[in-house]
Amino acid sequence: MIQRKWPVSSVTPETPIVTVMGVLNDAAVKVVFIVGPDRTLEGVVTDGDIRRGLVEGARLDDAVCAIMNRSPLVLRPDDDRIRVLDDMRARGARYIPELDREGRIQCILSDEEIAIATEGDVTIVLMAGGLGMRLRPLTDKTPKPLLPIGGRPLLEITIDNLKRQGFTRFVIAVNYMADQIERHFGDGSAMDIDIAYLREEERLGTVGPLRLLPEKPVGPVLVMNGDILTTLDVRRLIAFHREAGVPATMCAREHVWRVPYGVLRMDADGRFAGVDEKPARRELISAGINVLSPEALDLIPTTGAYDMPQLFEHVRAKISAPAVFKLDDYWLDIGHLEDLRRAQDDVGELFAEG
């Protein structure tokens, strides 16, 4: 983890509010930490706390303990960093103190630093080598991952969304019109990330390209189809996979479809028992997002095309049963023109640029 040395601005609980205002004005991180004699954290004060305190009748010469926030967000040694990060973002907090087991401030962390530290061992592999046959003629001259949605390429939206969650190392598997994809993204430096490529000289299936990884990953590998739009919090998927202790986890999505006819019901004797008019059916389908631990990668054969369902069957037979993560977030597989049109309608609201 690359950690900046954010300076800690601290005062004692007895410090006058007017003095704290000066400290806050000079602070690099606009928060002042209130610490006791043993340097344990007792509270924090921001500009908003001071304004509220003065409105409620506090005087500038009052001790800051009268207006400080006594229950600030903090990061303790055993805290779930994903939950802490979510709390920070929900409150609009950019920085948080990291405490030792005695409650003393060790350093100040930004939300970005926590995100990177949380998932720094995860490799993201985006499968972007498909032909996009069902989207022709749009894909005759443009690979599907570069089709524009809301003015941005589909794959760029996916990468940007994952970057916001703290992921910075990406691998893109390419084949069809690979040169266009590589020219667009380069090494990722323009997006402040790292991008490497797995170049398929022949069709290797949906998991075969992973044998081209230059070195075996030490942590989980997220494998995601490059033609998917989703608001899934991938950090929670990774956390689920880690906690399950399994070699592989498949993301599943409920698919609801309606039978266009009246469906007969029959009794035990094979006679008419009723009609269900155009009933809805519900099935779990693969969402095209999977997490693989290093031991699962060892099962990938060294030659030939190899698909994800085959790998999951082999994992179940040779190691242990994979887990299934049910995805309830927005998810759209852009396989047809109508999917592309729907994505154009959804992207502005769900995937704002920046």
Side-chain angles (χ1 to χ4, degrees), residues 179-190:
D179 57 330
Q180 288 194 37
I181 296 173
E182 293 188 30
R183 279 200 306 269
H184 181 85
F185 292 104
D187 62 3
S189 56

Side-chain angles (χ1 to χ4, degrees), residues 101-159:
R101 295 192 180 279
E102 286 67 47
R104 295 186 293 264
I105 300 176
Q106 298 301 294
C107 62
I108 307 301
L109 296 176
S110 70
D111 56 346
E112 180 184 21
E113 289 166 332
I114 294 175
I116 292 173
T118 301
E119 301 302 351
D121 67 336
V122 177
T123 300
I124 306 288
V125 179
L126 301 171
M127 309 301 289
L131 298 175
M133 299 285 289
R134 295 171 297 175
L135 284 169
R136 286 184 170 177
L138 297 179
T139 52
D140 284 343
K141 296 183 179 180
T142 303
K144 180 159 59 170
L146 294 187
L147 290 177
I149 298 177
R152 289 193 293 163
L154 165 60
L155 191 59
E156 184 178 306
I157 295 171
T158 295
I159 292 175

Side-chain angles (χ1 to χ4, degrees), residues 169-192:
R169 295 187 299 114
F170 295 85
V171 178
I172 304 178
V174 292
N175 178 267
Y176 180 63
M177 297 188 184
D179 57 330
Q180 288 194 37
I181 296 173
E182 293 188 30
R183 279 200 306 269
H184 181 85
F185 292 104
D187 62 3
S189 56
M191 298 180 70
D192 198 26

Side-chain angles (χ1 to χ4, degrees), residues 35-99:
V35 297
D38 57 355
R39 302 296 297 171
T40 57
L41 182 67
E42 296 190 10
V44 302
V45 168
T46 64
D47 181 66
D49 295 320
I50 293 176
R51 289 199 308 270
R52 281 188 293 272
L54 295 178
V55 168
E56 293 171 3
R59 297 174 300 178
L60 291 178
D61 58 351
D62 285 347
V64 71
C65 60
I67 63 167
M68 69 182 183
N69 175 5
R70 297 178 181 272
S71 302
L73 283 175
V74 298
L75 178 63
R76 297 182 175 85
D78 297 326
D79 280 350
D80 179 341
R81 287 176 175 249
I82 293 176
R83 187 171 293 112
V84 169
L85 187 61
D86 285 344
D87 288 343
M88 290 178 67
R89 290 173 173 169
R91 298 193 196 183
R94 289 294 315 283
Y95 303 95
I96 192 171
E98 184 174 27
L99 309 183

